[in-house]
Amino acid sequence: MNNKIYFSSVLIIFFIAQLNATKTQTDITDEVLKFKTSSVISVKNDSILKLNFENVYKLYQKQDYIIALTNLLELLEKSKELESNYWIYKCNFLLGEIYRKTNKFEKSLLFYKQSLAIVTLPVVEKSNSRFSDLDYVKTLFKVGISYHSVNISIDMTNKLSKYDSIKLAVKKKSYIDSALLTYKKIEQLPELNPQIENLKGAAYNNISNIYEEDSVFTQAEYYAKKAINIHKKNNDHLKTATSLNILANISLSQKKYQKAKALYSEAIDLIKNNNNSNAIRTKADLYYNLAWAMRNLEEFEAYDFQEKSFEIEEDIRDKEFKGIIEEISAKYDVDVAKRNVRQEEENKRLKTQRTYSIFGIILLLVIIILGYWLVINNLQQKNLALNLSKTKLIQDQNIEKLKSESQVRVLNATIDGKESERKQIAETLHDSVSALLSSANLHLQATRKQFNGATPVEIDKTQEIILEASHKIRDLSHTLISSVLLKFGLTFAIKEIAEKFSNSELNIETEINNVERYHQSFEIKVYNIVQEFVNNILKHSKAGNALIELEQKQDKLFIIISDDGIGFDKTKITSKDGLGLNQIDARIQMMKGKFKIDSSKNNGTQILVELPVLEKEEPSLV
C-alpha cells in the first residue's frame, strides 16, 4: 500500500514538473520571438531614418536650407518617438550646421549642445550605438566654434548707453570664456587618429587667436606652436601655413617685425605651388601681411608683395564673377529656349483663335443684319446700344489696368537697375580704385626714402592729392550705397538714418524689434523706401517729431512711419507722377506688399507698409 502511494506521489510530482517545464519552455520561446520581432522592427526603423536623413543631407549639400530645415525638424521628432539616440544626434548636429551656415549662431549653438548631450551619454545608455571618439571631438569643436562665432557677431560699434555697453561687454566675455573652456576640453583628449589631431590643431589655432586679442602673447605663441607641431607631424602644408600665419600675426602685434617677416616667408614657401582655392586665399593673406611687416621694417620691396596680394584677390574675384556670369548665361539660354517654345505655342493658339474669331464675327454680322431688319422696336435698339457701351467701358478699364501694371513694371525695373548700378559703382570705387590709390601712395613713400636730402615738394603735394582723392572716393561710395546697411543690416542702417536727419527742429526716433539680416537686395529696397519717406517728412511735413518702427512677425516685415506735422488732404492726391510716392508704390507692388497712408490736415501723417520677408543666404564662418 505504501509503495503504491509513494509511486503515485512520484508520478504526480513528475507530471507537475513536466507541466512547469513545458510552461517555462513556452515562456522562453515567447521571449525569444518578442526579442527577434523587436530587433527586426528596430533594424527597419533605422533603415527608414537613414534613408530620410540621406535625402535631407542632399538638400543641405545643394544649399536648399529652408526645405532641408523643415524636413530635418520633422525627422528629429520621428527619431525622438523611436528613441533612436544616433539619429537624434545626427539631426541635431545637421541643424547646428544649417544655422551656422546661415549665420544664426545662437541657434546653431543650441543644437550643437543638444547633439553633444547625446554623444556624451553613459555607455549603458549607448549600447549598440554607432558613436565614435571622432563624433565626440567634432561635436565639442563645433560647440566651441559656435560660442566663438556668437561673440564675434555681437557688434559694439553702435551708440549705446554706458549701462548697455557694459552689459554687452559682459555678454561677449561670457561667450569667449565658454569658447576657451570648450577648446581646452579638446586639448585634454588623447590624439587617437589624424582626424582628431587636426581638430585639436584647429582648436589650438582658435585658442591662440583668443589670447592674442587679449594681448596674452606668451599663451598665444604656445598654442600656435602646438598647432604647427600637429600639422607638421601630419605633413599638412596648408594647415601648417595657416598656423604659421597666426604665429606671425602674434609677432606683428608685438612689433617684432623681423620675426614676423621670417614666419610669413616660411608659410608662403610651404604652399607656393599649391593652387587650390583655400591655398590661394591663404597666400593672398600671407603676402599682404608680409608687405605690412616689411613696410614697418622700411624695406621697400613691401609694395611688390602688397601688389601680389591685390592681384591674387582680384583674380579670385574675377573667377567668382565669371562663375556667376556663366551661371546666369546658362539660365538665360534655358529661359530663352523655353520662351521661344511658349511663343510658338501662343502663335498657334492665336492663329486658331483668329480663324474662329473671323467665323464668329461673320456669323455675328449676319445675326445683327437679320436682327436689324426683324427687330424694329426702339426700346430693344436702346438696350443694345447700352450693352455695347458697357462692354466698351469694361474694355477701356481693362486697357487702363494693363497700362498701369506695365508702367509699374517699367518703373520698378528702372529702380532695380539704378540700385544695382549704384552698388556696382560703389564696390568698384572701394575695392579697386581705393586699392590702386593706396598702392600709388606706397610707391611715392618708397620714392621719398631714396632722397638723401630734402624731399621735393611735388612728392608731398602728390601724396596730399592722393589722400584727398581717397577720401572723396570713400565718401562717394558711401553716398551711392550705405556701407552700414551692407555690413550690419537694416537695424543699424535705419538707426543711422534717424541719427543723421535729426536736428534741432526735428527729432527722429526708432523702434526696431525682431529684425534680422535678410537678402541683400531686399534690405536695399526696404532701406530706400524708408529713406524716401524720411525725405518727404523733411521736405513737406514741418514736423517736430517722427518715429520709424520696424518689426518682423512670422514671415512679414511691418514698417510704420509717423510724424506730428501738418499732414495733408488725401482726397486731393490725384496722381503719382513724381519719383516720390510713385516710386514707393511701384516698389511695394513688385515686392507683393501692402501700402497705406493715413493723414489729414494738421493731424500728422502715418504710413504703414507690409512686406513679405526675403531671407538671406550667407557664407558660413570657417
Side-chain angles (χ1 to χ4, degrees), residues 451-489:
F451 289 93
N452 296 324
T455 305
V457 69
E458 287 79 7
I459 291 181
D460 293 334
K461 289 185 176 181
T462 303
Q463 285 191 302
E464 290 175 3
I465 292 169
I466 289 174
L467 183 60
E468 183 180 355
S470 296
H471 288 165
K472 287 185 176 180
I473 285 171
R474 184 188 61 208
D475 293 341
L476 178 58
S477 68
H478 290 174
T479 302
L480 289 169
I481 190 165
S482 170
S483 59
V484 173
L485 176 68
L486 296 180
K487 290 180 180 178
F488 305 112

mmCIF file of all heavy atoms in Angstrom, residues 451-489:
data_model
loop_
_atom_site.group_PDB
_atom_site.id
_atom_site.type_symbol
_atom_site.label_atom_id
_atom_site.label_comp_id
_atom_site.label_asym_id
_atom_site.label_seq_id
_atom_site.Cartn_x
_atom_site.Cartn_y
_atom_site.Cartn_z
ATOM 1 N N PHE A 451 65.681 109.831 -51.483
ATOM 2 C CA PHE A 451 66.320 111.142 -51.488
ATOM 3 C C PHE A 451 67.138 111.306 -50.210
ATOM 4 O O PHE A 451 66.647 111.100 -49.098
ATOM 5 C CB PHE A 451 65.257 112.246 -51.562
ATOM 6 C CG PHE A 451 64.584 112.337 -52.908
ATOM 7 C CD1 PHE A 451 63.405 111.648 -53.140
ATOM 8 C CD2 PHE A 451 65.144 113.090 -53.948
ATOM 9 C CE1 PHE A 451 62.778 111.713 -54.351
ATOM 10 C CE2 PHE A 451 64.501 113.150 -55.167
ATOM 11 C CZ PHE A 451 63.332 112.470 -55.384
ATOM 12 N N ASN A 452 68.409 111.667 -50.380
ATOM 13 C CA ASN A 452 69.279 111.860 -49.220
ATOM 14 C C ASN A 452 68.964 113.161 -48.502
ATOM 15 O O ASN A 452 69.043 113.266 -47.283
ATOM 16 C CB ASN A 452 70.747 111.847 -49.645
ATOM 17 C CG ASN A 452 71.162 110.484 -50.207
ATOM 18 O OD1 ASN A 452 70.662 109.463 -49.696
ATOM 19 N ND2 ASN A 452 72.016 110.441 -51.207
ATOM 20 N N GLY A 453 68.658 114.190 -49.265
ATOM 21 C CA GLY A 453 68.368 115.489 -48.681
ATOM 22 C C GLY A 453 66.873 115.720 -48.545
ATOM 23 O O GLY A 453 66.122 114.811 -48.214
ATOM 24 N N ALA A 454 66.506 116.957 -48.813
ATOM 25 C CA ALA A 454 65.086 117.312 -48.704
ATOM 26 C C ALA A 454 64.277 116.650 -49.819
ATOM 27 O O ALA A 454 64.743 116.510 -50.941
ATOM 28 C CB ALA A 454 64.929 118.838 -48.780
ATOM 29 N N THR A 455 63.072 116.240 -49.457
ATOM 30 C CA THR A 455 62.178 115.613 -50.441
ATOM 31 C C THR A 455 61.538 116.696 -51.308
ATOM 32 O O THR A 455 61.095 117.726 -50.783
ATOM 33 C CB THR A 455 61.074 114.845 -49.722
ATOM 34 O OG1 THR A 455 61.678 113.925 -48.816
ATOM 35 C CG2 THR A 455 60.223 114.086 -50.714
ATOM 36 N N PRO A 456 61.467 116.512 -52.627
ATOM 37 C CA PRO A 456 60.824 117.515 -53.495
ATOM 38 C C PRO A 456 59.389 117.777 -53.046
ATOM 39 O O PRO A 456 58.662 116.865 -52.659
ATOM 40 C CB PRO A 456 60.867 116.864 -54.877
ATOM 41 C CG PRO A 456 61.989 115.905 -54.809
ATOM 42 C CD PRO A 456 62.052 115.423 -53.413
ATOM 43 N N VAL A 457 59.004 119.026 -53.158
ATOM 44 C CA VAL A 457 57.656 119.420 -52.728
ATOM 45 C C VAL A 457 56.593 118.754 -53.585
ATOM 46 O O VAL A 457 55.451 118.543 -53.145
ATOM 47 C CB VAL A 457 57.531 120.961 -52.782
ATOM 48 C CG1 VAL A 457 57.547 121.488 -54.227
ATOM 49 C CG2 VAL A 457 56.242 121.392 -52.071
ATOM 50 N N GLU A 458 56.922 118.400 -54.827
ATOM 51 C CA GLU A 458 55.938 117.765 -55.697
ATOM 52 C C GLU A 458 55.466 116.419 -55.121
ATOM 53 O O GLU A 458 54.312 116.032 -55.288
ATOM 54 C CB GLU A 458 56.513 117.533 -57.104
ATOM 55 C CG GLU A 458 56.654 118.788 -57.945
ATOM 56 C CD GLU A 458 57.900 119.606 -57.558
ATOM 57 O OE1 GLU A 458 58.707 119.112 -56.739
ATOM 58 O OE2 GLU A 458 58.040 120.725 -58.059
ATOM 59 N N ILE A 459 56.409 115.704 -54.458
ATOM 60 C CA ILE A 459 56.021 114.417 -53.858
ATOM 61 C C ILE A 459 55.018 114.647 -52.733
ATOM 62 O O ILE A 459 54.004 113.958 -52.607
ATOM 63 C CB ILE A 459 57.264 113.668 -53.347
ATOM 64 C CG1 ILE A 459 58.119 113.201 -54.546
ATOM 65 C CG2 ILE A 459 56.856 112.463 -52.490
ATOM 66 C CD1 ILE A 459 59.351 112.437 -54.158
ATOM 67 N N ASP A 460 55.282 115.653 -51.872
ATOM 68 C CA ASP A 460 54.340 115.952 -50.787
ATOM 69 C C ASP A 460 52.971 116.310 -51.335
ATOM 70 O O ASP A 460 51.923 115.844 -50.855
ATOM 71 C CB ASP A 460 54.871 117.111 -49.937
ATOM 72 C CG ASP A 460 56.144 116.715 -49.184
ATOM 73 O OD1 ASP A 460 56.296 115.506 -48.924
ATOM 74 O OD2 ASP A 460 56.953 117.600 -48.857
ATOM 75 N N LYS A 461 52.979 117.179 -52.379
ATOM 76 C CA LYS A 461 51.698 117.609 -52.943
ATOM 77 C C LYS A 461 50.961 116.429 -53.590
ATOM 78 O O LYS A 461 49.743 116.317 -53.496
ATOM 79 C CB LYS A 461 51.926 118.720 -53.968
ATOM 80 C CG LYS A 461 52.336 120.042 -53.323
ATOM 81 C CD LYS A 461 52.430 121.155 -54.361
ATOM 82 C CE LYS A 461 52.742 122.500 -53.696
ATOM 83 N NZ LYS A 461 52.823 123.593 -54.671
ATOM 84 N N THR A 462 51.735 115.575 -54.273
ATOM 85 C CA THR A 462 51.107 114.410 -54.911
ATOM 86 C C THR A 462 50.458 113.496 -53.874
ATOM 87 O O THR A 462 49.339 113.015 -54.051
ATOM 88 C CB THR A 462 52.139 113.614 -55.717
ATOM 89 O OG1 THR A 462 52.739 114.476 -56.683
ATOM 90 C CG2 THR A 462 51.476 112.451 -56.439
ATOM 91 N N GLN A 463 51.173 113.271 -52.760
ATOM 92 C CA GLN A 463 50.595 112.431 -51.710
ATOM 93 C C GLN A 463 49.359 113.073 -51.095
ATOM 94 O O GLN A 463 48.394 112.384 -50.767
ATOM 95 C CB GLN A 463 51.643 112.165 -50.616
ATOM 96 C CG GLN A 463 52.706 111.140 -51.065
ATOM 97 C CD GLN A 463 53.567 110.680 -49.903
ATOM 98 O OE1 GLN A 463 54.202 111.500 -49.246
ATOM 99 N NE2 GLN A 463 53.592 109.395 -49.678
ATOM 100 N N GLU A 464 49.373 114.396 -50.953
ATOM 101 C CA GLU A 464 48.185 115.083 -50.442
ATOM 102 C C GLU A 464 47.002 114.922 -51.395
ATOM 103 O O GLU A 464 45.862 114.713 -50.974
ATOM 104 C CB GLU A 464 48.491 116.568 -50.239
ATOM 105 C CG GLU A 464 49.447 116.831 -49.076
ATOM 106 C CD GLU A 464 49.829 118.322 -48.979
ATOM 107 O OE1 GLU A 464 49.326 119.134 -49.762
ATOM 108 O OE2 GLU A 464 50.641 118.639 -48.106
ATOM 109 N N ILE A 465 47.305 115.032 -52.712
ATOM 110 C CA ILE A 465 46.235 114.870 -53.713
ATOM 111 C C ILE A 465 45.660 113.450 -53.662
ATOM 112 O O ILE A 465 44.449 113.248 -53.718
ATOM 113 C CB ILE A 465 46.777 115.192 -55.121
ATOM 114 C CG1 ILE A 465 47.092 116.693 -55.223
ATOM 115 C CG2 ILE A 465 45.773 114.792 -56.201
ATOM 116 C CD1 ILE A 465 47.871 117.079 -56.463
ATOM 117 N N ILE A 466 46.566 112.459 -53.558
ATOM 118 C CA ILE A 466 46.112 111.056 -53.484
ATOM 119 C C ILE A 466 45.244 110.841 -52.247
ATOM 120 O O ILE A 466 44.194 110.185 -52.289
ATOM 121 C CB ILE A 466 47.316 110.097 -53.481
ATOM 122 C CG1 ILE A 466 47.983 110.081 -54.875
ATOM 123 C CG2 ILE A 466 46.892 108.685 -53.089
ATOM 124 C CD1 ILE A 466 49.259 109.291 -54.927
ATOM 125 N N LEU A 467 45.658 111.401 -51.109
ATOM 126 C CA LEU A 467 44.888 111.257 -49.873
ATOM 127 C C LEU A 467 43.512 111.883 -50.016
ATOM 128 O O LEU A 467 42.494 111.309 -49.621
ATOM 129 C CB LEU A 467 45.652 111.904 -48.712
ATOM 130 C CG LEU A 467 45.001 111.776 -47.332
ATOM 131 C CD1 LEU A 467 44.854 110.308 -46.957
ATOM 132 C CD2 LEU A 467 45.816 112.513 -46.277
ATOM 133 N N GLU A 468 43.481 113.084 -50.623
ATOM 134 C CA GLU A 468 42.198 113.765 -50.817
ATOM 135 C C GLU A 468 41.297 112.950 -51.754
ATOM 136 O O GLU A 468 40.095 112.804 -51.516
ATOM 137 C CB GLU A 468 42.430 115.161 -51.394
ATOM 138 C CG GLU A 468 41.130 115.961 -51.567
ATOM 139 C CD GLU A 468 41.378 117.355 -52.147
ATOM 140 O OE1 GLU A 468 42.559 117.730 -52.325
ATOM 141 O OE2 GLU A 468 40.389 118.039 -52.408
ATOM 142 N N ALA A 469 41.910 112.408 -52.822
ATOM 143 C CA ALA A 469 41.123 111.578 -53.746
ATOM 144 C C ALA A 469 40.570 110.343 -53.058
ATOM 145 O O ALA A 469 39.424 109.950 -53.277
ATOM 146 C CB ALA A 469 41.999 111.170 -54.938
ATOM 147 N N SER A 470 41.390 109.722 -52.173
ATOM 148 C CA SER A 470 40.928 108.537 -51.438
ATOM 149 C C SER A 470 39.723 108.878 -50.573
ATOM 150 O O SER A 470 38.744 108.132 -50.516
ATOM 151 C CB SER A 470 42.065 107.981 -50.570
ATOM 152 O OG SER A 470 43.130 107.536 -51.357
ATOM 153 N N HIS A 471 39.809 110.035 -49.887
ATOM 154 C CA HIS A 471 38.682 110.436 -49.028
ATOM 155 C C HIS A 471 37.427 110.682 -49.849
ATOM 156 O O HIS A 471 36.314 110.292 -49.456
ATOM 157 C CB HIS A 471 39.055 111.705 -48.254
ATOM 158 C CG HIS A 471 40.075 111.447 -47.173
ATOM 159 N ND1 HIS A 471 40.782 112.435 -46.538
ATOM 160 C CD2 HIS A 471 40.522 110.288 -46.638
ATOM 161 C CE1 HIS A 471 41.592 111.906 -45.648
ATOM 162 N NE2 HIS A 471 41.459 110.595 -45.689
ATOM 163 N N LYS A 472 37.620 111.361 -51.004
ATOM 164 C CA LYS A 472 36.450 111.664 -51.827
ATOM 165 C C LYS A 472 35.822 110.389 -52.396
ATOM 166 O O LYS A 472 34.597 110.269 -52.480
ATOM 167 C CB LYS A 472 36.845 112.608 -52.958
ATOM 168 C CG LYS A 472 37.099 114.030 -52.471
ATOM 169 C CD LYS A 472 37.381 114.991 -53.621
ATOM 170 C CE LYS A 472 37.539 116.425 -53.112
ATOM 171 N NZ LYS A 472 37.814 117.387 -54.194
ATOM 172 N N ILE A 473 36.668 109.433 -52.797
ATOM 173 C CA ILE A 473 36.148 108.157 -53.325
ATOM 174 C C ILE A 473 35.387 107.394 -52.240
ATOM 175 O O ILE A 473 34.319 106.848 -52.468
ATOM 176 C CB ILE A 473 37.305 107.311 -53.894
ATOM 177 C CG1 ILE A 473 37.760 107.897 -55.240
ATOM 178 C CG2 ILE A 473 36.880 105.862 -54.083
ATOM 179 C CD1 ILE A 473 39.014 107.290 -55.771
ATOM 180 N N ARG A 474 35.963 107.394 -51.024
ATOM 181 C CA ARG A 474 35.273 106.722 -49.932
ATOM 182 C C ARG A 474 33.927 107.365 -49.650
ATOM 183 O O ARG A 474 32.913 106.706 -49.466
ATOM 184 C CB ARG A 474 36.149 106.757 -48.670
ATOM 185 C CG ARG A 474 35.548 105.985 -47.480
ATOM 186 C CD ARG A 474 36.352 106.211 -46.215
ATOM 187 N NE ARG A 474 36.343 107.637 -45.881
ATOM 188 C CZ ARG A 474 37.312 108.255 -45.220
ATOM 189 N NH1 ARG A 474 38.382 107.594 -44.840
ATOM 190 N NH2 ARG A 474 37.221 109.544 -44.953
ATOM 191 N N ASP A 475 33.929 108.738 -49.602
ATOM 192 C CA ASP A 475 32.661 109.448 -49.356
ATOM 193 C C ASP A 475 31.654 109.177 -50.463
ATOM 194 O O ASP A 475 30.453 109.005 -50.221
ATOM 195 C CB ASP A 475 32.921 110.958 -49.247
ATOM 196 C CG ASP A 475 33.731 111.313 -48.007
ATOM 197 O OD1 ASP A 475 33.773 110.485 -47.066
ATOM 198 O OD2 ASP A 475 34.324 112.408 -47.981
ATOM 199 N N LEU A 476 32.156 109.148 -51.730
ATOM 200 C CA LEU A 476 31.266 108.900 -52.863
ATOM 201 C C LEU A 476 30.667 107.498 -52.801
ATOM 202 O O LEU A 476 29.473 107.308 -53.036
ATOM 203 C CB LEU A 476 32.028 109.084 -54.183
ATOM 204 C CG LEU A 476 31.224 108.815 -55.475
ATOM 205 C CD1 LEU A 476 29.993 109.713 -55.529
ATOM 206 C CD2 LEU A 476 32.102 109.035 -56.690
ATOM 207 N N SER A 477 31.498 106.492 -52.449
ATOM 208 C CA SER A 477 30.989 105.116 -52.371
ATOM 209 C C SER A 477 29.949 104.988 -51.266
ATOM 210 O O SER A 477 28.959 104.282 -51.400
ATOM 211 C CB SER A 477 32.141 104.132 -52.135
ATOM 212 O OG SER A 477 32.701 104.314 -50.856
ATOM 213 N N HIS A 478 30.160 105.714 -50.143
ATOM 214 C CA HIS A 478 29.181 105.684 -49.054
ATOM 215 C C HIS A 478 27.892 106.394 -49.459
ATOM 216 O O HIS A 478 26.804 106.042 -49.004
ATOM 217 C CB HIS A 478 29.772 106.337 -47.798
ATOM 218 C CG HIS A 478 30.862 105.523 -47.178
ATOM 219 N ND1 HIS A 478 31.629 105.950 -46.118
ATOM 220 C CD2 HIS A 478 31.336 104.283 -47.486
ATOM 221 C CE1 HIS A 478 32.517 105.031 -45.791
ATOM 222 N NE2 HIS A 478 32.350 104.005 -46.611
ATOM 223 N N THR A 479 28.020 107.461 -50.318
ATOM 224 C CA THR A 479 26.831 108.170 -50.788
ATOM 225 C C THR A 479 26.008 107.295 -51.724
ATOM 226 O O THR A 479 24.776 107.286 -51.684
ATOM 227 C CB THR A 479 27.251 109.467 -51.513
ATOM 228 O OG1 THR A 479 28.013 110.273 -50.617
ATOM 229 C CG2 THR A 479 26.022 110.247 -51.975
ATOM 230 N N LEU A 480 26.699 106.534 -52.589
ATOM 231 C CA LEU A 480 25.997 105.686 -53.555
ATOM 232 C C LEU A 480 25.187 104.602 -52.864
ATOM 233 O O LEU A 480 24.060 104.315 -53.240
ATOM 234 C CB LEU A 480 27.011 105.051 -54.516
ATOM 235 C CG LEU A 480 27.647 106.018 -55.526
ATOM 236 C CD1 LEU A 480 28.811 105.349 -56.229
ATOM 237 C CD2 LEU A 480 26.623 106.497 -56.535
ATOM 238 N N ILE A 481 25.774 103.999 -51.836
ATOM 239 C CA ILE A 481 25.044 102.953 -51.096
ATOM 240 C C ILE A 481 25.590 102.896 -49.689
ATOM 241 O O ILE A 481 26.790 103.026 -49.479
ATOM 242 C CB ILE A 481 25.148 101.575 -51.795
ATOM 243 C CG1 ILE A 481 24.190 100.580 -51.143
ATOM 244 C CG2 ILE A 481 26.550 101.047 -51.806
ATOM 245 C CD1 ILE A 481 23.963 99.348 -51.987
ATOM 246 N N SER A 482 24.700 102.728 -48.715
ATOM 247 C CA SER A 482 25.092 102.779 -47.308
ATOM 248 C C SER A 482 25.997 101.607 -46.946
ATOM 249 O O SER A 482 25.600 100.450 -47.062
ATOM 250 C CB SER A 482 23.843 102.754 -46.424
ATOM 251 O OG SER A 482 24.195 102.562 -45.078
ATOM 252 N N SER A 483 27.215 101.913 -46.500
ATOM 253 C CA SER A 483 28.116 100.842 -46.062
ATOM 254 C C SER A 483 27.626 100.212 -44.770
ATOM 255 O O SER A 483 27.840 99.029 -44.523
ATOM 256 C CB SER A 483 29.534 101.401 -45.850
ATOM 257 O OG SER A 483 29.520 102.435 -44.875
ATOM 258 N N VAL A 484 26.942 100.995 -43.926
ATOM 259 C CA VAL A 484 26.373 100.439 -42.684
ATOM 260 C C VAL A 484 25.324 99.384 -43.019
ATOM 261 O O VAL A 484 25.245 98.332 -42.403
ATOM 262 C CB VAL A 484 25.755 101.574 -41.836
ATOM 263 C CG1 VAL A 484 25.006 101.002 -40.632
ATOM 264 C CG2 VAL A 484 26.824 102.541 -41.376
ATOM 265 N N LEU A 485 24.507 99.652 -44.063
ATOM 266 C CA LEU A 485 23.483 98.674 -44.477
ATOM 267 C C LEU A 485 24.120 97.379 -44.942
ATOM 268 O O LEU A 485 23.693 96.293 -44.543
ATOM 269 C CB LEU A 485 22.632 99.275 -45.595
ATOM 270 C CG LEU A 485 21.576 98.341 -46.211
ATOM 271 C CD1 LEU A 485 20.492 98.044 -45.190
ATOM 272 C CD2 LEU A 485 20.976 98.951 -47.462
ATOM 273 N N LEU A 486 25.159 97.468 -45.787
ATOM 274 C CA LEU A 486 25.781 96.258 -46.333
ATOM 275 C C LEU A 486 26.473 95.445 -45.260
ATOM 276 O O LEU A 486 26.440 94.226 -45.271
ATOM 277 C CB LEU A 486 26.793 96.639 -47.429
ATOM 278 C CG LEU A 486 26.198 97.321 -48.674
ATOM 279 C CD1 LEU A 486 27.300 97.643 -49.663
ATOM 280 C CD2 LEU A 486 25.140 96.469 -49.336
ATOM 281 N N LYS A 487 27.110 96.134 -44.286
ATOM 282 C CA LYS A 487 27.890 95.413 -43.276
ATOM 283 C C LYS A 487 27.034 94.903 -42.126
ATOM 284 O O LYS A 487 27.219 93.791 -41.656
ATOM 285 C CB LYS A 487 28.992 96.321 -42.713
ATOM 286 C CG LYS A 487 30.111 96.627 -43.712
ATOM 287 C CD LYS A 487 31.165 97.525 -43.074
ATOM 288 C CE LYS A 487 32.283 97.844 -44.056
ATOM 289 N NZ LYS A 487 33.289 98.746 -43.473
ATOM 290 N N PHE A 488 26.076 95.760 -41.641
ATOM 291 C CA PHE A 488 25.410 95.435 -40.395
ATOM 292 C C PHE A 488 23.903 95.243 -40.519
ATOM 293 O O PHE A 488 23.250 94.822 -39.575
ATOM 294 C CB PHE A 488 25.685 96.525 -39.361
ATOM 295 C CG PHE A 488 27.148 96.792 -39.140
ATOM 296 C CD1 PHE A 488 27.713 97.988 -39.526
ATOM 297 C CD2 PHE A 488 27.952 95.814 -38.587
ATOM 298 C CE1 PHE A 488 29.053 98.219 -39.341
ATOM 299 C CE2 PHE A 488 29.300 96.050 -38.387
ATOM 300 C CZ PHE A 488 29.859 97.267 -38.779
ATOM 301 N N GLY A 489 23.304 95.563 -41.680
ATOM 302 C CA GLY A 489 21.903 95.275 -41.877
ATOM 303 C C GLY A 489 20.983 96.438 -41.565
ATOM 304 O O GLY A 489 21.400 97.558 -41.246
#
